[in-house]
Amino acid sequence: PVHMTTLAPDCAGQPNNLIGMGKCLVALARKYAPKALVGFHASLWADPDPTKVAQFLAQIGASEADLVFVEMLDRDAGCYETHTDPACQRGGTTGWYFDESNQSSPNFKEHLASVAAITATLGKRAIWWQLPLGVPSQTPGGTSGHYRDNRVSYLFSHIGEFIAAGGVGAAFGTGAGNQTDIKTDDGQFKAAVTKYFQSPTPL
């Protein structure tokens, strides 16, 4: 249950539940920020089945939005591997660093298949958000500000795969303190972006 009719006058005609709330968010965006794009967040933390997540979002208004937002990992894989930073204390120290050869799980091919299922179900293009900025390394872990990760490296060397999965963009950033950032990544992100814009991929 959600209080729509009493607390959201602009959406008084919507039902008092999550469906009403989701559709109200889209309606408010259309009314007050008509030039803005609006999208819902499809997170597999809700359910490992991407189709179920997309179907749920469709019911609450995502099919009326412009985009869908997806994620891979909110912090450097190495931070979770070391398991010492207070901001990186999720269970386990393995499985955070994706296999770039896509032979063992977890890997990028699996992730992109999930995103493709979401974009196909919703009929919307995707934007990745909060992608970590770590630098690839064969050595697990790392240190504060210098944890390993390979998402920047893989995305910029496999842009076609992300587009094929329904992608139109990506946002990078640290999800917590002590992560690798553009000042501590030895120029990786700047170099990747500079090279990309020399010949950007048309959408």
Side-chain angles (χ1 to χ4, degrees):
V2 178
H3 290 291
M4 295 302 305
T5 56
T6 57
L7 299 179
D10 287 318
C11 302
Q14 296 291 350
N16 287 308
N17 54 31
L18 279 176
I19 295 173
M21 186 183 81
K23 292 188 175 183
C24 179
L25 291 173
V26 176
L28 291 174
R30 301 289 184 244
K31 181 176 181 178
Y32 294 107
K35 294 183 179 180
L37 298 179
V38 60
F40 286 65
H41 177 202
S43 177
L44 298 185
W45 286 100
D47 191 294
D49 184 335
T51 301
K52 286 183 179 179
V53 171
Q55 289 172 340
F56 173 82
L57 291 178
Q59 291 177 33
I60 63 169
S63 56
E64 299 172 18
D66 303 298
L67 301 158
V68 60
F69 287 84
V70 294
E71 65 201 8
M72 272 193 273
L73 192 62
D74 62 341
R75 291 157 205 178
D76 294 321
C79 189
Y80 288 116
E81 290 171 334
T82 59
H83 216 259
T84 57
D85 192 298
C88 302
Q89 293 300 313
R90 292 178 187 163
T93 57
T94 60
W96 304 107
Y97 195 83
F98 281 8
D99 173 25
E100 293 181 39
S101 70
N102 295 310
Q103 299 301 308
S104 61
S105 184
N107 60 57
F108 289 95
K109 184 177 180 179
E110 294 170 339
H111 169 74
L112 291 169
S114 293
V115 173
I118 291 169
T119 57
T121 300
L122 289 174
K124 305 295 175 183
R125 305 292 276 177
I127 290 181
W128 280 263
W129 76 291
Q130 68 173 10
L131 289 175
L133 292 156
V135 179
S137 172
Q138 295 302 311
T139 304
T143 59
S144 180
H146 297 276
Y147 293 114
R148 76 166 184 161
D149 200 277
N150 57 357
R151 287 161 178 81
V152 169
S153 173
Y154 191 91
L155 185 150
F156 279 101
S157 59
H158 298 81
I159 289 175
E161 294 179 14
F162 285 77
I163 293 173
V168 291
F172 299 81
T174 56
N178 306 324
Q179 306 303 301
T180 308
D181 61 37
I182 58 174
K183 296 178 181 179
T184 64
D185 72 346
D186 297 323
Q188 170 189 243
F189 186 73
K190 182 178 180 180
V193 171
T194 300
K195 181 179 179 181
Y196 172 76
F197 279 112
Q198 290 173 354
S199 180
T201 303
L203 298 174

